[in-house]
């Protein structure tokens, strides 16, 4: 059995520098040399393998096995969710229903202040819930620019809005990843993040209008600002705390759309606001709200997904699904006490590594299991909902297969990146490098609680992904929390909640924003416009986390 070493060179400070090399390499490759994420992840993985074997003295076979376990988790359930979510989004685009969804939002009001809330905040959240990976920024920025928003503001507003929904994006991928890497309960981590990011959801609508039109003009539409913020935050809070992470964004977006449209049915601002350099109203392109029947038809795939997720939560159906996947599974599968899903011990790795104090109270084997919940996995539920939606939309099997193939091709580099990052994360954990970093951070004491959000912020700012940041730092946050005596749910949650605020300044998202609005080469201007908001909101999140660790500790699951 391999015994983990946390000070492989006999000194914690030097060991920490060595353990940080893979993370530093990744950041330099991404932010400094601007190497594509998939190649940066693969190079970093190779560097980490060398350090694990030659410095941390991890047997090569165990190092490869730990990497393979991470890669497999990256493919299932993470990539499995991404593929099937992107697929139904591409179906909506291919059938032309996306235009109906767009018109149903843009046609509600010609006031730019209301449009920015509906398009950047609400519609962006819907896209984040189902697609993610830069899609919300690209589509909402280009849509607003097409409506007549100033290009730079359209890109900036899309970036600013793409914060509150990110932690639960892609049907909860960041939360599921963080919980798995850190060995935490998914629902408890969902509850923790659901008690942090709704604060952002309340702030964001008013901030969007203020950035665009000024504080006084924002007050003129305060009913829309309040209703959208409270509806989204309230729904995200309830769903994440009761059902889990998968539907938090999707239900929040749908509820908010209904709430805002309901408000506008009896209240409108006294005057419409537009940019000074916009053409006269007679010369602007206007969007009419589609008929109710066609609007519901266009939104039907999202409605079906929500309905199916809710149906499988009904106890008898949930029990039946569990029984089926347990009976059709590996002979060595065991039902997890925490998730209720079948898992199998990972051959050649499970309990072949021994963790040491002070990471654990006494030496203990490190388990390594892989979940085989092929039927109850979120990706499978989404695929079943996709198939139902295909029948409802009358999309032929041949056309569906073509779109699915296009979706796979579209995601090929994202799949390689996700698999590599998860392989790296698991290698860092099983080799002991993560624990070295955790012990070093623990030396800062309670001060660490404030900076936990900034670690997630930095991870997303450089990788462009809350999922990647959680994969890299979730276990680090957990180990540090255990050493300083606070709840791991709090710091891992802070990693995800703080991380969402780094997305608006990530090089990838800045490039997406400028490309979508025809501003290539002006990434620097865009960064200067959003940087202060990114840092300011992260400080707000850090203060909230400190309060939750002290006077508001009843908020921690």
């Amino acid at each position: 059995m391999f015994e983990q070493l946390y000070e492989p060179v006999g000194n914690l400070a030097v060991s920490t520098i060595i353990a940080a090399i893979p993370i530093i390499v990744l950041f330099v490759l991404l932010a400094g040399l601007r190497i594509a994420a998939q190649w940066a992840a693969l190079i970093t993985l190779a560097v980490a393998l060398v350090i694990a074997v030659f410095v941390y003295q991890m047997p090569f076979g165990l190092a490869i096995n730990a990497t393979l376990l991470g890669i497999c988790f990256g493919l299932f359930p993470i990539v499995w969710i991404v593929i099937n979510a992107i697929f139904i989004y591409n179906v909506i685009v291919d059938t032309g229903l996306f235009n109906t969804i767009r018109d149903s939002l843009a046609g509600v009001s010609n006031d730019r202040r209301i449009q920015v809330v509906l398009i950047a905040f609400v519609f962006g959240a819907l896209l984040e819930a189902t697609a993610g990976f830069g899609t919300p920024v690209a589509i909402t920025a280009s849509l607003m620019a097409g409506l007549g928003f100033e290009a730079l503001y359209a890109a900036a507003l899309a970036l600013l809005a793409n914060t509150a929904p990110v932690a639960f994006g892609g049907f909860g991928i960041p939360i599921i990843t963080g919980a798995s890497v850190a060995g935490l309960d998914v629902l408890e981590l969902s509850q923790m993040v659901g008690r942090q990011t709704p604060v952002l959801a309340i702030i964001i609508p008013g901030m969007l209008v203020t950035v665009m039109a000024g504080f006084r003009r924002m007050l003129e539409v305060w009913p829309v600002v309040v209703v959208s913020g409270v509806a989204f935050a309230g729904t995200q809070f309830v769903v994440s705390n009761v059902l889990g992470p998968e539907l938090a964004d999707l239900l929040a977006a749908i509820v908010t759309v209904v709430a805002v449209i309901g408000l506008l049915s009896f209240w409108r601002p006294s005057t419409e606001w537009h940019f000074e350099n916009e053409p006269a109203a007679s010369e602007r392109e206007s969007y009419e709200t589609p008929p109710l029947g066609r609007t519901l038809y266009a939104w039907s795939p999202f409605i079906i997904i929500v309905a199916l997720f809710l149906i499988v939560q009904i106890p008898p159906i949930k029990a039946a699904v569990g029984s089926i996947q347990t009976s059709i599974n590996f002979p060595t599968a065991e039902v997890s006490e925490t998730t209720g899903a079948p898992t199998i011990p990972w051959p050649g790795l499970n309990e072949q590594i021994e963790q040491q104090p002070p990471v654990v109270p006494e030496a203990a084997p490190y388990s390594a299991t892989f979940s085989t919940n092929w039927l109850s996995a979120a990706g499978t539920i989404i695929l079943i909902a996709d198939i139902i939606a295909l029948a409802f939309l009358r999309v032929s099997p041949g056309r569906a297969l073509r779109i699915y193939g296009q979706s796979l091709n579209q995601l090929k580099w994202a799949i390689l990146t996700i698999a590599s990052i998860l392989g790296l994360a698991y290698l860092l954990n099983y080799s002991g490098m993560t624990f070295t970093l955790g012990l070093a951070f623990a030396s800062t004491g309670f001060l660490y609680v404030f900076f936990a959000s900034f670690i997630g912020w930095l991870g997303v700012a450089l990788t462009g992904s809350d999922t990647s940041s959680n994969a890299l730092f979730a276990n680090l946050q957990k180990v540090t929390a255990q050493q300083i005596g606070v709840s791991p749910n709090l710091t891992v949650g802070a990693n995800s909640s703080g991380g969402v605020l780094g997305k608006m300044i990530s090089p990838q998202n800045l490039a997406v924003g400028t490309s979508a609005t025809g501003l290539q080469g002006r990434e620097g201007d865009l960064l200067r416009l959003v940087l202060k908001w990114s840092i300011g909101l992260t400080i707000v999140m850090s203060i909230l986390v400190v309060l939750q660790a002290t006077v508001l500790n009843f908020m921690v699951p």
Side-chain angles (χ1 to χ4, degrees):
M1 183 174 289
F2 166 60
E3 296 181 1
Q4 287 186 333
L5 303 174
Y6 307 128
E7 297 182 17
V9 295
N11 179 281
L12 181 59
V14 178
S15 298
T16 300
I17 294 172
I18 295 173
I21 288 175
I23 296 171
I24 294 171
V25 168
L26 179 63
F27 287 172
V28 169
L29 292 175
L30 287 172
L33 302 180
R34 301 293 181 89
I35 292 178
Q38 66 272 14
W39 308 126
L42 284 172
I43 293 170
T44 304
L45 179 57
V47 171
L49 276 169
V50 172
I51 295 174
V53 173
F54 292 102
V55 179
Y56 277 77
Q57 301 175 31
M58 186 181 195
F60 181 73
L62 286 179
I64 294 297
N65 232 339
T67 303
L68 288 175
L69 175 57
I71 290 172
C72 286
F73 176 75
L75 296 175
F76 182 91
I78 304 303
V79 166
W80 184 232
I81 295 172
V82 175
I83 291 172
N84 294 318
I86 290 288
F87 167 58
I88 194 61
Y89 165 76
N90 286 340
V91 167
I92 292 170
V93 173
D94 192 81
T95 55
L97 295 175
F98 178 82
N99 294 333
T100 302
I101 293 175
R102 178 200 65 193
D103 294 349
S104 69
L105 293 171
V108 170
S109 172
N110 288 321
D111 192 305
R112 300 305 188 208
R113 296 167 297 182
I114 295 175
Q115 287 180 342
V116 74
V117 172
L118 281 172
I119 296 172
F121 180 62
V122 183
F123 190 39
L126 179 72
L127 293 171
E128 184 66 43
T130 55
F133 293 94
T135 303
V137 173
I139 291 176
T140 59
S142 60
L143 177 54
M144 287 188 290
L147 286 172
F149 283 65
E150 292 182 3
L152 188 62
Y153 272 99
L157 294 168
L159 289 169
L160 290 169
N162 190 222
T163 50
V166 167
F168 295 101
F171 294 97
I173 290 175
I175 304 299
I176 295 169
T177 302
S180 177
V181 171
L184 300 177
D185 181 75
V186 173
L187 180 59
E188 287 189 358
L189 184 58
S190 174
Q191 291 170 337
M192 186 71 259
V193 178
R195 299 169 192 182
Q196 293 172 338
T197 56
V199 173
L200 300 176
I202 291 176
I203 296 172
I204 294 298
M207 188 184 76
L208 290 172
V209 179
T210 301
V211 169
M212 181 180 69
F215 184 74
R216 187 170 63 87
R217 293 295 187 184
M218 184 274 290
L219 292 178
E220 294 175 356
V221 292
W222 70 265
V224 170
V225 168
V226 172
V227 167
S228 60
V230 171
F232 192 94
T235 306
Q236 191 184 66
F237 170 79
V238 171
V239 175
S240 63
N241 276 266
V242 176
L243 297 178
E246 292 88 354
L247 290 179
D249 279 350
L250 186 55
L251 277 174
I254 291 174
V255 168
T256 307
V257 166
V258 173
V260 173
I261 292 177
L263 170 67
L264 294 175
S265 66
F266 63 85
W267 177 89
R268 296 272 174 167
S270 56
T271 58
E272 282 189 4
W273 184 88
H274 295 273
F275 292 99
E276 291 182 358
N277 60 350
E278 284 192 67
S282 59
E283 300 175 9
R284 290 195 297 265
E285 182 179 3
S286 60
Y287 291 84
E288 295 183 1
T289 304
L292 179 61
R294 179 154 183 82
T295 299
L296 291 175
Y297 186 70
W299 284 80
S300 62
F302 301 126
I303 297 172
I304 291 169
I305 289 172
V306 170
L308 191 59
F309 264 102
L310 294 176
I311 289 171
V312 297
Q313 295 300 319
I314 298 173
I317 296 177
K318 188 174 183 178
V321 170
S323 176
I324 294 171
Q325 70 180 2
T326 300
S327 61
I328 308 176
N329 220 299
F330 292 90
T332 57
E334 300 176 357
V335 177
S336 169
E337 295 181 0
T338 56
T339 65
T343 61
I344 58 171
W346 192 260
L349 182 64
N350 184 51
E351 298 188 349
Q352 297 301 304
I353 296 173
E354 191 172 71
Q355 294 181 297
Q356 303 294 317
V359 170
V360 290
E362 57 185 30
Y366 197 170
S367 65
T369 60
F370 182 72
S371 180
T372 54
N373 57 328
W374 60 272
L375 184 56
S376 64
T380 305
I381 295 172
I382 295 169
L383 178 60
I384 295 172
D386 291 351
I387 294 171
I388 297 172
L390 290 173
F392 187 75
L393 299 178
R394 298 183 181 87
V395 176
S396 67
R399 187 179 184 185
L401 288 173
R402 174 181 60 79
I403 298 172
Y404 204 90
Q406 291 174 344
S407 301
L408 288 173
N409 183 62
Q410 172 189 348
L411 291 168
K412 59 180 181 294
W413 298 124
I415 292 171
L416 180 57
T417 301
I418 292 170
S420 301
I421 288 291
L422 266 297
L424 171 64
Y426 273 62
L427 176 61
L428 294 178
N429 292 341
Y430 281 94
S431 67
M433 282 185 265
T434 296
F435 302 108
T436 298
L437 294 170
L439 293 173
F441 278 118
S443 64
T444 63
F446 192 78
L447 185 64
Y448 176 82
V449 175
F450 179 83
F451 291 104
S453 298
F454 275 95
I455 291 175
W457 174 84
L458 180 64
V460 177
L462 291 168
T463 66
S465 166
D466 203 41
T467 300
S468 296
S469 180
N470 282 351
L472 288 173
F473 297 135
N475 208 40
L476 166 64
Q477 298 270 20
K478 173 190 174 182
V479 172
T480 309
Q482 291 173 331
Q483 296 301 310
I484 63 176
V486 300
S487 169
N489 283 321
L490 178 63
T491 53
V492 177
N495 193 84
S496 194
S497 299
V500 306
L501 300 166
K503 195 155 189 177
M504 68 179 82
I505 63 169
S506 70
Q508 297 94 316
N509 262 19
L510 291 170
V512 168
T514 55
S515 298
T517 53
L519 296 174
Q520 293 91 335
R522 296 189 63 186
E523 288 81 4
D525 294 336
L526 188 55
L527 175 62
R528 283 189 289 273
L529 193 56
V530 300
L531 180 59
K532 62 182 179 181
W533 298 102
S534 176
I535 295 174
L537 289 172
T538 308
I539 292 173
V540 171
M541 182 57 65
S542 297
I543 293 172
L544 174 62
V545 172
V546 171
L547 291 174
Q548 289 177 329
T550 52
V551 296
L552 301 177
N553 56 11
F554 61 88
M555 296 180 69
V556 181

